[in-house]
RNA sequence: GCCCGAGUAGCUCAGUCGGCAGAGCGACGCACUCGUAAUGCGUAGGUCACCAGUUCAAUUCUGGUCUCGGGCUCCA
C-alpha cells in the first residue's frame, strides 16, 4: 500500500500508510497526544479523528485543552445531552445545540407542551452519565438532503434546517453503543470526539426559554445550558470563576456597602443612591465635568420632558416609541419623558444662526433619560429604566469629522484608563441594508471611524450591516479584572438628525452648510459605569473613588477627641475621613471598616495622642504600621489620590 | 413580553406532611475601655410579598397579581 505524507504545524512532514486517520497520526506522534486528541484540522477544516487523511494535507492535531478542542468537547456534550433528553422524554424535538463561550446549550420542544423544571437538570445529567459510561461512538454519515429529511421525519426543526440550507449533502452523527445497535442521531457538521467516553467533566447550569431561530414570533423552545471542560480541575476552576463573579455582583455589593437600592415603591429599574454610593457617583461626575471642561466642551442643561412634536421630528416616535414612557396630556399637548438627550441639544444648537467659526461645537450634559425597558431585561444598575448619560453631541463641519473623531476616541480612552480600565476592544458597526443618506456619506463616516481606531491603536472588529439606520458607530468594550467584557462608550455619526432638524451653519464661503453630528456617551450611563467599576474592583474602589477614604478609630473613649481632630485635619486637607467612637472592641471596629473596604483604617491610642501620630492599617495589607506622623500620612493619602490622576 | 425559579425579622436563611414561626448577623439597651478582622448579657422586631379560593383552620394547598433572579428577544 502506498504511503501518504502530511505536513504538521511545525513544518515537518510525516509518512503514513494510505487510509491512515487523524487518530493514527496522533498515535504515531506520541501516546500522550493520542490520548489528548479530540479532533484534527485538515487544511484548515476541523475533522473527526476517524476520518482518513488525504495525501499532502497540512494536519494539526487538536487536543482537549485548546479553544477548538473545548468547542469539540462542548458540542459533543450537547449531543449527549440531547440524547439524554430524548431518552427521558420520548418524542422530544431537538433544534440546535452549539458550543458557546464557556459551554454549550441545546434547544428542545418537549412533547405535550411540557417544560423542564430545575429538578430535571439532575435527571438529565444522570442520563448523560449513563450514555458516557456506555462509551458510544460518534459515527459520521453522509446523506442527500432527501435522505436527511427522511431520517428526521419526526424532527421538524432539523428538517427546516436541511430545507433552508440548500446544500448538496448533509451529514449526521449517530451515537452507537458497544453492541453496535443504532443509537440516537443528530444533524451535524461535526467534528466530534471519537466516543462519549471521552466526555464527563460537565455540568448543566441553567434553563431558559429561547425562540426558534431567535425570532420572538416563532415557537418558544426550552433551552438547557451546560458547561464542559477537558478535566475535573478545569471544570472546578470555571465554577470558581462563576463564584467569584457572584461575589463581585454589584447588586450584592450595593447592599453590603450601603450604596444604592431599588425601592419597589418607586418602580422596577429605578434606583436610589444612598449617601456612600452617591459620594462615589459624585466623584465620578465631578471628574467627568472637569475633564470635559478641559477638553473644549460647553455645558448645557435641558428638561426631562418635551412635547410630542419634538420626538416626531427626531424620529423617536417613529423608531423608538416602544422604549418610551407614555405621554402626559397637558393643555392640549402630549409631553413625553425624553429617552435621549440629542433633540434637546440640537435645539440649543439651533437657538441662533451658527458660524463655521464656532465649530466644532461640543455640547455636554449629564442628562437623565427614561426608557421603558421590557421587564425581563432589567438587571441591577446595568440595565435600568431611568439613567443619567454623560452625553455629548458634537456638531462639526464635514472636513472636521476625521480630526474630531480621532481626538474624541483618544479622549474617551484616556478617561476610561483613569478609572483603571485599560484593555479595550472596539466594534465598528457599518451600513445596514436599510439606511438613509448616501453611500458616499456612509463610506466617509465609516472611514473616519476606522481611522480614529487605528490612530488610537485599539483592536476592533467590524460588524457588517449592524449600524443604526441613520449612522455607523463605534462601541468601545473594556475587559474587567476577571476578564469579563463590558460595553461602555459609544460614538455614532449621525446624518439623519441634522437633516430632520434642518440644521445649518454659515461657512467661510458665506453660504449655508449642514453640519455633521456625532453622538457620544463615554461612561455609557453613569449608573451602568458605576456598576462596572464596582464589579471590576470587587467593591474595593481606588482611594480617589472610595466614599470613605480613611476611618479613624480611637483605641478607647479617652482617644475619641484626638480621633476627631485627626479626621477634621484630613477633611481640611480635602479628604473624606470619618472618626469612630470606642463603643465596641477595637478588633470589631477594625473588622467592620475592613468589610466596608475603607482604603485606610487609622487606629489612634495613647502613644499617638502623645506623639501626634496615627497607626495605619492599609486595606490591601494585612500588616498594620504604628507611629506614622499625621503630616506624613496626609502626604501618602494625597499621593494615593493623585496617582489616579497621573 | 415569554420560559424556569424564588419571595418567611433590616440582611442571610431554617421551618411548618394545614393547627396562632425560629437561628445567625444587624439594630437598640446595659456592662466592658480595649493597640489591629467578631466582648458578654439582654430587648425590640414578622398580616410568613399581595389578593382571592378551598378548609373548622392557610405562612403551608389552588388560582391570580406584584417584585426579584437566570435566560430569550432587545439594549447604555
Amino acid at each position: 500500500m502506498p504511503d501518504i505524507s502530511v505536513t504538521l504545524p511545525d513544518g515537518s512532514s510525516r509518512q503514513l500508510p494510505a487510509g491512515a486517520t487523524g487518530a493514527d497520526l496522533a498515535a504515531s506522534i506520541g501516546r500522550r497526544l493520542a490520548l489528548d486528541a479530540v479532533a484534527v484540522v485538515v487544511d484548515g477544516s476541523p475533522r473527526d479523528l476517524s476520518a482518513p487523511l488525504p495525501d499532502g494535507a497540512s494536519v494539526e492535531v487538536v487536543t482537549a485543552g485548546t479553544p477548538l478542542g473545548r468547542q469539540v468537547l462542548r458540542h459533543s456534550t450537547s449531543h449527549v445531552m440531547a440524547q439524554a433528553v430524548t431518552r427521558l422524554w420520548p418524542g422530544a424535538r431537538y433544534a440546535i445545540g452549539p458550543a458557546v463561550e464557556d459551554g454549550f446549550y441545546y434547544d428542545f420542544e418537549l412533547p405535550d407542551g411540557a417544560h423542564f423544571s430545575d429538578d430535571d437538570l439532575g435527571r438529565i445529567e444522570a442520563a448523560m452519565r449513563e450514555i458516557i459510561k456506555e462509551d458510544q461512538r460518534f459515527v459520521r454519515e453522509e446523506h442527500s438532503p432527501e435522505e436527511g429529511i427522511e431520517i428526521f421525519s419526526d424532527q421538524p426543526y432539523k428538517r427546516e434546517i436541511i430545507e433552508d440550507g440548500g446544500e448538496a449533502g448533509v451529514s449526521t452523527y449517530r451515537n452507537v453503543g458497544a453492541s453496535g445497535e443504532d443509537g440516537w442521531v443528530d444533524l451535524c457538521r461535526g467534528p466530534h470526539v471519537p466516543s462519549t467516553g471521552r466526555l464527563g467533566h460537565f455540568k448543566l447550569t441553567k434553563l431558559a426559554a429561547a425562540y426558534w431561530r431567535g425570532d420572538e414570533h416563532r415557537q418558544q423552545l426550552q433551552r438547557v445550558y451546560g458547561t464542559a471542560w477537558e478535566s475535573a480541575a478545569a471544570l472546578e476552576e470555571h465554577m470558581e470563576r462563576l463564584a467569584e463573579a457572584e461575589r463581585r455582583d454589584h447588586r450584592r455589593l450595593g447592599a453590603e456597602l450601603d450604596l444604592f437600592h431599588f425601592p419597589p415603591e418607586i418602580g422596577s429599574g429605578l434606583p436610589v443612591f444612598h449617601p456612600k454610593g452617591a459620594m462615589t457617583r459624585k466623584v465620578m461626575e465631578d471628574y467627568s465635568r472637569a475633564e470635559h471642561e478641559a477638553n473644549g466642551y460647553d455645558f448645557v442643561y435641558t428638561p426631562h420632558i418635551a412635547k410630542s412634536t419634538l420626538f416626531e421630528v427626531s424620529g423617536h416616535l417613529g423608531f423608538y416609541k416602544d422604549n418610551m414612557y407614555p405621554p402626559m396630556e397637558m393643555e392640549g399637548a402630549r409631553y413625553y419623558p425624553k429617552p435621549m438627550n440629542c433633540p434637546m441639544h440640537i435645539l440649543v444648537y439651533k437657538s441662533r444662526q451658527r458660524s463655521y467659526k464656532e465649530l466644532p461645537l461640543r455640547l455636554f450634559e449629564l442628562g437623565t433619560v427614561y426608557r421603558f425597558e421590557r421587564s425581563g431585561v432589567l438587571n441591577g444598575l446595568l440595565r435600568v429604566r431611568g439613567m443619567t448619560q454623560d452625553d455629548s453631541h458634537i456638531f462639526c463641519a464635514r472636513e472636521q469629522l476625521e480630526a474630531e473623531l480621532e481626538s474624541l476616541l483618544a479622549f474617551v480612552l484616556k478617561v476610561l484608563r483613569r478609572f483603571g480600565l485599560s484593555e479595550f476592544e472596539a466594534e465598528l458597526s457599518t451600513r445596514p441594508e436599510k439606511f438613509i443618506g448616501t453611500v458616499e456619506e456612509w463610506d466617509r463616516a465609516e472611514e473616519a471611524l476606522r481611522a480614529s481606531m487605528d490612530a488610537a491603536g485599539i483592536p476592533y472588529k467590524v460588524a457588517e450591516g449592524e449600524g443604526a439606520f441613520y449612522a455607523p458607530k463605534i462601541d468601545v468594550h473594556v475587559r474587567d479584572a476577571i476578564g469579563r467584557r463590558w460595553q461602555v462608550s459609544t460614538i455614532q455619526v449621525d446624518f439623519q438628525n441634522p437633516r430632520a432638524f434642518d440644521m445649518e451653519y454659515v461657512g467661510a464661503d458665506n453660504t449655508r452648510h449642514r453640519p455633521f453630528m456625532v453622538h457620544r456617551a463615554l461612561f455609557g450611563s453613569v449608573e451602568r459605569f458605576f456598576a462596572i467599576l464596582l464589579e471590576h474592583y470587587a467593591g474595593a474602589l481606588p482611594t480617589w473613588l472610595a466614599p470613605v477614604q480613611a476611618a479613624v478609630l480611637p483605641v478607647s473613649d479617652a482617644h475619641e477627641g484626638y480621633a476627631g481632630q485627626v479626621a477634621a485635619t484630613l477633611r481640611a486637607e480635602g479628604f473624606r475621613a470619618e472618626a469612630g467612637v470606642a463603643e465596641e472592641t477595637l478588633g470589631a471596629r477594625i473588622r467592620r471598616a475592613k468589610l466596608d473596604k475603607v482604603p485606610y483604617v487609622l487606629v489612634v491610642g495613647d502613644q499617638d495622642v502623645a506623639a501626634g501620630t496615627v497607626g495605619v492599617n492599609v486595606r490591601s495589607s494585612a500588616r498594620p504600621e504604628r507611629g506614622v506622623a499625621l503630616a506624613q500620612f496626609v502626604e501618602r493619602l494625597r499621593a494615593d489620590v493623585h496617582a489616579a490622576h497621573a
Side-chain angles (χ1 to χ4, degrees), chain A residues 60 66 79 95 105 179 267 302 311 335 340 361 365 498 546 557 617:
Chain A
E60 183 186 349
T66 61
H79 273 228
Y105 66 80
S179 49
T302 64
F311 298 115
Y335 287 82
M340 294 186 193
L361 180 66
E365 177 179 17
D557 54 12
N617 191 329

Side-chain angles (χ1 to χ4, degrees), chain A residues 8 24 43 51 279 427 483 526:
Chain A
L8 300 178
D24 296 330
D43 293 329
M279 178 54 75
E427 205 165 277
V526 179

Side-chain angles (χ1 to χ4, degrees), chain A residues 363-480:
Chain A
L363 301 183
F364 174 79
E365 177 179 17
L366 287 165
T368 302
V369 298
Y370 292 91
R371 298 181 183 177
F372 190 78
E373 302 288 354
R374 296 158 102 184
S375 61
V377 308
L378 298 174
N379 179 259
L381 289 177
L382 293 170
R383 193 74 183 275
V384 294
R385 285 179 172 166
M387 61 168 162
T388 300
Q389 296 183 308
D390 58 334
D391 208 1
S392 178
H393 295 92
I394 298 167
F395 306 99
C396 66
R398 159 175 296 235
E399 59 274 16
Q400 293 172 322
L401 185 64
E402 282 79 2
E404 190 58 27
L405 287 176
E406 192 175 320
S407 67
L408 174 54
L409 185 59
F411 174 57
V412 166
L413 298 183
K414 175 182 152 204
V415 171
L416 291 176
R417 282 197 180 95
R418 290 191 187 177
F419 282 94
L421 301 164
S422 53
E423 261 189 86
F424 307 114
E425 291 158 53
E427 205 165 277
L428 172 65
S429 298
T430 60
R431 191 177 68 238
E433 276 183 33
K434 237 182 90 183
F435 66 98
I436 59 150
T438 66
V439 172
E440 188 269 328
E441 278 175 334
W442 276 85
D443 287 348
R444 173 151 189 180
E446 285 173 17
E447 203 38 57
L449 289 169
R450 203 184 291 266
S452 70
M453 291 188 288
D454 288 336
I458 60 171
Y460 64 92
K461 278 191 217 143
V462 178
E464 293 289 351
E466 292 293 307
F469 69 96
Y470 58 86
K473 63 171 180 175
I474 296 175
D475 291 319
V476 179
H477 297 79
V478 297
R479 294 252 175 210
D480 74 3

